[in-house]
């Protein structure tokens, strides 16, 4: 089954404790991206990647890191989480350049609470 | 950069038609997506426009005017299950959309 898998789905942690949210897709997609969603602010792009070893900042990259060492995985890293990073996070993937604009497939979301 | 504007909330009656507008200013614009998102769930793809005009897909249609930086999503024969947020997502040079704040649509009997 074609899917984007995020882990964990829920996490409560404390300020300053490094964490990683994993994202994996099994559709051989080139493009992957991370968004955070907060009430009243909509879905905001954090980082995106157009291919292996190619990553770019989105609209709200501060406090986050990403890596794209393999096509299928695009982890989101919070080196020193803070309470303002409490949010619902979505990973998404799509086919890539040369295929025109293609719809993104979203993971089920990760709800992070930073205390 | 992106500047995306859509109404925060709309209400409509079951069986009616509703139009959700979106204006945008997007560098290197190359297309616009609409997604539906039910509360607590992931967004799901509804439609995509790259050329000016109307794209129809069953009860849902989407319109684009590139020169005006304007799009709308038209929902016909509204059903209760259409109560959701609708996200307008123009894409620029990256071909990966960014989204506005979304429009929360409430359909009542």
């Amino acid at each position: 089954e074609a899917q984007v898998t995020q882990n964990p789905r829920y996490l409560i942690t404390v300020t300053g404790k490094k964490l990683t949210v994993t994202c994996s897709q099994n559709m051989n997609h080139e493009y992957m991206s991370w968004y955070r969603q907060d009430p009243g602010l909509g879905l905001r792009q954090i980082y995106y990647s157009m291919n292996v070893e190619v990553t770019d900042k989105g609209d709200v990259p501060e406090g986050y890191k990403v890596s794209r060492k393999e096509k299928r995985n695009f982890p989101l890293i919070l080196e020193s989480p803070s309470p303002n990073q409490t949010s619902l996070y979505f990973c998404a993937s799509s086919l890539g350049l040369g295929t025109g604009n293609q719809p993104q497939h979203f993971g089920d979301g990760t709800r992070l609470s930073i205390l | 950069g992106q500047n995306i504007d859509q109404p925060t909330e709309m209400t409509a009656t079951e069986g009616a038609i509703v139009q959700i507008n979106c204006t945008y200013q997007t560098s290197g614009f190359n297309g616009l997506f609409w997604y539906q998102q039910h509360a607590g769930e992931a967004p799901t793809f509804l439609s995509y426009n790259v050329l000016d005009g109307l794209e129809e897909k069953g009860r849902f249609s989407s319109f684009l005017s590139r020169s005006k930086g304007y799009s709308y999503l038209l929902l016909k024969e509204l059903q209760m299950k259409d109560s959701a947020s609708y996200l307008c997502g123009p894409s620029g040079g990256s071909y990966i959309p960014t989204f506005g704040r979304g429009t929360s649509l409430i359909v009542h009997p």
Side-chain angles (χ1 to χ4, degrees):
Chain A
E1 181 190 347
Q3 58 187 3
V4 178
T5 304
Q6 297 179 224
N7 278 297
R9 292 290 316 280
Y10 305 91
L11 179 64
I12 301 173
T13 188
V14 295
T15 299
K17 186 177 180 182
K18 180 180 178 180
L19 68 92
T20 299
V21 185
T22 63
C23 175
S24 181
Q25 50 91 7
N26 61 0
M27 296 167 279
N28 201 36
H29 284 172
E30 284 187 355
Y31 289 1
M32 297 186 76
S33 51
W34 275 103
Y35 299 87
R36 61 177 289 175
Q37 188 168 40
D38 303 286
L41 296 177
L43 204 60
R44 294 181 292 168
Q45 190 181 69
I46 304 171
Y47 270 94
Y48 64 93
S49 169
M50 296 172 75
N51 212 330
V52 175
E53 302 291 2
V54 179
T55 62
D56 281 292
K57 294 178 180 178
D59 295 322
V60 288
E62 296 78 20
Y64 304 95
K65 285 173 58 175
V66 292
S67 69
R68 188 91 184 275
K69 294 184 170 55
E70 328 159 77
K71 198 179 222 185
R72 63 183 292 126
N73 295 323
F74 190 44
L76 179 70
I77 302 154
L78 286 73
E79 293 271 4
S80 182
S82 62
N84 65 11
Q85 292 177 299
T86 292
S87 187
L88 177 59
Y89 291 85
F90 287 102
C91 178
S93 72
S94 56
L95 268 173
L97 196 60
T99 59
N101 253 315
Q102 294 291 329
Q104 290 189 293
H105 298 255
F106 282 83
D108 288 335
T110 295
R111 190 167 289 282
L112 284 184
S113 293
I114 317 290
L115 304 177
Chain B
Q2 321 283 353
N3 188 2
I4 304 160
D5 191 37
Q6 47 181 132
T8 303
E9 187 175 292
M10 299 181 72
T11 59
T13 305
E14 196 174 13
I17 299 172
V18 71
Q19 177 174 314
I20 302 173
N21 296 323
C22 172
T23 59
Y24 62 88
Q25 293 175 310
T26 300
S27 306
F29 176 82
N30 56 44
L32 189 141
F33 293 88
W34 282 95
Y35 282 78
Q36 180 191 61
Q37 186 180 23
H38 285 99
E41 298 181 9
T44 55
F45 171 73
L46 285 178
S47 70
Y48 169 66
N49 295 70
V50 61
L51 300 175
D52 284 357
L54 190 67
E55 293 279 344
E56 297 188 73
K57 247 184 168 184
R59 291 191 300 116
F60 293 5
S61 304
S62 57
F63 172 83
L64 177 67
S65 168
R66 295 174 70 114
S67 62
K68 294 182 179 175
Y70 168 69
S71 174
Y72 67 73
L73 181 70
L74 192 71
L75 294 80
K76 302 175 189 174
E77 300 168 20
L78 281 173
Q79 302 175 8
M80 298 296 290
K81 68 178 182 179
D82 296 331
S83 292
S85 285
Y86 291 86
L87 309 175
C88 169
S91 65
S94 71
Y95 290 89
I96 298 173
T98 57
F99 295 96
R101 299 184 180 201
T103 298
S104 176
L105 175 65
I106 301 167
V107 180
H108 55 83

